[in-house]
Amino acid sequence: MAGKAPLGPVSTARQVPRWSELREVVQFRRPRLGRTARRLEHALTVRDLRAAARRTTPRAVFDYVDGAAEEEITAARNVAAYRRVTFLPDALRSVADPDPGVELFGSRIAMPLVFAPTGYTRMMHHHGEAGVAAVAEHVGVPYALSTVGSTSIEDVRAAAPRGELWFQLFFTADPAVNEDLLARAEAAGYSTVLLTVDTTVSGMRYRDVVNGLTIPPTLTARTVLNMSRFPVWWFNKLTTGGMTFASLTGVPGNPTPGEVASMMFDPGLDLTSLDWLRKRWRGNLLVKGVTTPASAREAVEHGADGVVVSNHGGRQLDRSAATLDVLPAIRAAVGQQATVLIDGGVLHGQDVVAARALGADAVMIGRAYLYGLMAGGRDGVLRTYEILAEEYQRSMQLLGVRRSEDLSERHVAFTPHGAGDYPNVSV
């Protein structure tokens, strides 16, 4: 104000800081020994693990995980759908002592998450399916082994002797093969079968064709040259046994890789196959690869305990709907008694929150943990889980929700895109 004298200089007493005082305000991080440990410590998100995987894995292998069918539109839609979720938090709710666990098929699991089945897993890292199963057992969630896994049914059980193991069945045209696989899964104590129904024919994945990762492989000179830039990956592959479809090496006929491909993609798969499987398998039975309410209802009517809302991560039929978009309608179609899981596009703990709130009992992750596996083997898979679990619990609490069971539609605003109503999507 006019007439006021200006402020004088600030007088502050200074002293030489003592180390004990400095130590209270400056905490130095203890360096981690080992390149892999440092790489994983610096990964704060699944996307960070993806970036690390790209740096540590041959391009053909990374593309096999990262890629999808045709123009990869469906894969992008899966991810984009979760970005259309708006959270609506409850205020003034205690979230002390949070409980992220859920009941799934009568068992309590640590959070609503299942490690999904993936093929060729030992190609990504020599720890392979055994490493993933061991992590799942350690953290307390199920792991599903693929028919075309690179570790056998029995060896996965040995790696996770007390784990909750599921088996994904590619229903083949050979009844003896189907019976052999189911009998072995039964003998090894697998609790749940996932009948995959979206692979009547193989999707066209251009990245794999270009890189030569077909069945059987037809590697190009460029692919081999790129792989040579990753000597650690090569060393581990050459010293830990050959790549095979491990659960199929001992089945009747001992099929070649090319014959395995023909077996996996059976255009004759129909409801009679599901009827036979329901009579044969006494455990839990889910139909994986359902994206419409009518198909979900039909699967349950034919004896399935539930469905996995899945478009194979966009790796089969491109331009199909994002799984999150169809989840609420599928839940309404099958009712509350059926089990409903969802996969595709789950890369963040908030995606798990959204899926749970919109009707899923749990999510399945595939690419997410494979990024971790490529970045750091078994420890990378564990880091994937830690990231998602921390994101999930934190987001649940910030929503004003203490227990997973209390998440509901009132916590989200979500408008699914209708058929033909998708924006242009680029990958």
Side-chain angles (χ1 to χ4, degrees):
M1 295 176 61
K4 290 284 187 178
L7 289 172
V10 176
S11 177
T12 303
R14 298 184 183 275
Q15 64 181 28
V16 177
R18 291 190 294 269
W19 170 246
S20 59
E21 296 170 333
L22 186 63
R23 189 170 54 189
E24 292 179 2
V25 295
V26 179
Q27 296 289 329
F28 292 99
R29 179 180 295 176
R30 182 175 299 175
R32 294 293 296 271
L33 299 178
R35 181 180 299 177
T36 298
R38 291 195 300 272
R39 182 189 308 136
L40 297 178
E41 183 180 47
H42 293 155
L44 303 181
T45 68
V46 171
R47 294 181 186 278
D48 291 340
L49 290 173
R50 178 181 180 272
R54 187 191 287 274
R55 295 193 302 269
T56 56
T57 312
R59 176 176 176 175
V61 178
F62 178 84
D63 279 354
Y64 178 80
V65 173
D66 199 59
E70 308 286 352
E71 298 177 274
E72 304 191 356
I73 292 171
T74 294
R77 285 177 176 174
N78 283 341
V79 175
Y82 286 99
R83 303 300 181 269
R84 286 187 271 108
V85 170
T86 299
F87 288 128
L88 307 173
D90 292 327
L92 298 173
R93 300 290 190 276
S94 172
V95 291
D97 301 317
D99 181 8
V102 295
E103 293 284 332
L104 193 62
F105 290 130
S107 298
R108 191 76 179 174
I109 63 175
M111 68 175 286
L113 183 143
V114 176
F115 287 128
T118 61
Y120 274 144
T121 309
R122 283 183 55 243
M123 178 176 66
M124 293 64 162
H125 191 280
H126 62 284
H127 290 169
E129 291 89 353
V132 182
V135 172
E137 178 187 70
H138 175 72
V139 300
V141 299
Y143 168 67
L145 173 67
S146 171
T147 296
V148 293
S150 47
T151 307
S152 72
I153 292 169
E154 294 78 12
D155 286 346
V156 167
R157 170 51 76 193
R162 294 172 298 280
E164 178 76 13
L165 297 181
W166 298 2
F167 184 69
Q168 176 213 30
L169 178 67
F170 284 112
F171 199 92
T172 77
D174 188 337
V177 172
N178 298 329
E179 174 58 36
D180 176 82
L181 292 170
L182 292 169
R184 290 166 60 192
E186 200 169 47
Y190 286 58
S191 66
T192 302
V193 160
L194 305 169
L195 175 64
T196 296
V197 298
D198 56 4
T199 56
T200 50
V201 297
S202 176
M204 171 54 75
R205 301 164 199 165
Y206 291 121
R207 293 203 219 181
D208 294 346
V209 174
V210 169
N211 292 324
L213 278 189
T214 54
I215 304 175
T218 54
L219 301 181
T220 65
R222 188 187 70 175
T223 298
V224 173
L225 181 63
N226 176 264
M227 287 180 171
S228 70
R229 296 174 49 237
F230 299 88
V232 174
W233 181 88
W234 266 118
F235 175 78
N236 288 326
K237 288 292 161 289
L238 295 173
T239 58
T240 55
M243 283 290 303
T244 63
F245 296 117
S247 292
L248 291 168
T249 55
V251 302
N254 194 25
T256 66
E259 290 169 337
V260 167
S262 298
M263 291 164 52
M264 285 190 302
F265 306 112
D266 179 14
L269 180 69
D270 61 15
L271 286 169
T272 63
S273 308
L274 175 58
D275 291 337
W276 177 87
L277 182 57
R278 178 68 284 176
K279 292 177 182 177
R280 169 61 184 83
W281 181 256
R282 293 188 292 271
N284 308 315
L285 175 59
L286 296 172
V287 173
K288 181 177 181 291
V290 171
T291 56
T292 67
S295 292
R297 188 183 305 110
E298 201 170 41
V300 172
E301 289 172 350
H302 280 256
D305 297 302
V307 297
V308 181
V309 183
S310 172
N311 50 39
H312 221 94
R315 296 168 66 82
Q316 284 295 104
L317 176 63
D318 201 19
R319 307 194 188 208
S320 57
T323 50
L324 191 67
D325 282 340
V326 298
L327 172 63
I330 287 177
R331 168 55 80 186
V334 300
Q336 294 302 313
Q337 298 306 310
T339 297
V340 176
L341 274 63
I342 184 174
D343 70 10
V346 177
L347 297 172
H348 195 285
Q350 290 191 337
D351 300 341
V352 185
V353 172
R356 177 80 190 182
L358 289 170
D361 292 293
V363 305
M364 302 188 81
I365 60 168
R367 281 188 180 92
Y369 79 70
L370 290 179
Y371 292 142
L373 184 68
M374 290 187 288
R378 184 187 64 180
D379 291 342
V381 177
L382 178 59
R383 183 65 186 134
T384 301
Y385 177 85
E386 290 171 346
I387 288 170
L388 293 173
E390 291 166 4
E391 292 170 342
Y392 176 75
Q393 180 172 304
R394 179 175 63 248
S395 300
M396 189 175 72
Q397 289 177 281
L398 289 172
L399 266 175
V401 176
R402 192 182 72 82
R403 305 184 311 154
S404 289
E405 283 89 346
D406 296 332
L407 284 168
S408 69
E409 283 186 326
R410 71 188 180 86
H411 293 111
V412 296
F414 179 63
T415 304
H417 279 298
D421 189 35
Y422 283 92
N424 292 328
V425 180
S426 60
V427 180

